[in-house]
């Protein structure tokens, strides 16, 4: 008898005894005891039932060859960005949420604090890393896209099968004892080329399988809007001197470029007017 049945039986006995003390008939007490036993079994079964399984992570359907890539933007206070960036990096390197590798990481300080990290992780690690990155902030933007590698996988498998078959045939031909030295040299050279091609095909197949089994995740950390505007205002003030100097330099360059032609033009105008006056005097 299981634990649930024992509990139901004891509960039935207790209710039966209470029924007799309350003046119930033996038949009514037995019926109440049977109902109580069934209720006890139902309660025990629901209490022992396991919790519902979590929702499945985004993964390629069976029989497909999809490589998923995720991009997300996280807004945080500027002072918290380095700590969150380091937390995501450490969680990936420690494989806390499954197989994971850091592909690229950058960090920016004042006046525009921010950072970006790109990882390749197991499907279950995408949501976990995003949750870790967004603690204390918000996920402002997120996008997901998938590349279908079915044709690439098929081409790689076809190339690998063709090279393996050719390699096997050449090995059988090499075992013959009536081959000339020149034929053996040619055969050995061809076998080396096939083995090199097989190595490349196997590497391509492994890379394609890794892109299918894992997912690329890029998280961009940005400072919240008020800090961003404050940083832009401070940057504008800090650039005031450079802007003023640049404007003065532009004016100097403009004057230096315009002044010589202007002087030459005035001189030519003065000569022309003098010649015109002299001509009028002679004509008068």
């Amino acid at each position: 008898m299981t634990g649930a049945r024992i509990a139901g039986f004891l509960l039935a006995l207790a209710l039966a005894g209470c029924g007799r003390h309350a003046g119930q008939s033996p038949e009514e007490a037995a019926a109440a005891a049977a109902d109580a036993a069934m209720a006890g079994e139902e309660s025990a079964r629901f209490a022992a039932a396991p919790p519902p399984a979590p929702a499945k992570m985004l993964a390629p359907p069976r029989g497909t060859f999809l490589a998923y890539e995720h991009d997300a933007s996280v807004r945080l206070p500027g002072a918290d960005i380095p700590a969150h960036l380091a937390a995501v990096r450490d969680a990936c390197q420690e494989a806390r949420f499954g197989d994971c590798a850091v592909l690229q990481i950058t960090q920016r300080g004042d006046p525009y604090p921010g950072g970006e990290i790109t990882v390749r992780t197991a499907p279950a690690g995408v949501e976990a890393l995003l949750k870790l990155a967004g603690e204390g902030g918000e996920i402002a933007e997120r996008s997901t896209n998938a590349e279908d590698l079915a044709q690439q996988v098929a081409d790689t498998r076809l190339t690998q099968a063709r090279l393996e078959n050719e390699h096997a045939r050449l090995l059988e031909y090499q075992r013959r004892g009536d081959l000339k030295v020149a034929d053996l040299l040619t055969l050995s050279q061809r076998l080396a080329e096939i083995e090199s091609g097989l190595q490349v095909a196997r590497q391509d197949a492994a890379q394609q399988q890794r892109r299918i089994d894992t997912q690329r995740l890029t998280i961009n950390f940005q400072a919240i809007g008020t800090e961003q505007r404050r940083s832009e205002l401070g940057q504008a003030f800090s650039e005031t001197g450079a802007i003023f100097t640049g404007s003065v330099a532009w004016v100097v360059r403009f004057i230096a470029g315009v002044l010589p032609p202007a002087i030459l033009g005035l001189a030519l105008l003065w000569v022309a007017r003098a010649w015109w006056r002299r001509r009028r005097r002679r004509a008068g």
Side-chain angles (χ1 to χ4, degrees), residues 104-123:
Q104 178 263 343
I105 182 169
T106 58
Q107 184 174 343
R108 300 183 301 274
D110 292 334
Y112 303 105
E116 185 176 278
I117 184 171
T118 302
V119 302
R120 180 163 293 282
T121 179

Side-chain angles (χ1 to χ4, degrees), residues 235-275:
Q235 181 73 7
F237 277 115
S238 64
E239 293 177 353
T240 302
I243 294 173
F244 178 77
T245 304
S247 300
V248 173
W250 182 85
V251 172
V252 171
R253 292 190 183 95
F254 177 78
I255 294 174
V258 172
L259 189 58
I263 294 174
L264 181 60
L266 289 174
L268 292 175
L269 181 61
W270 182 82
V271 171
R273 290 184 63 183
W275 176 80

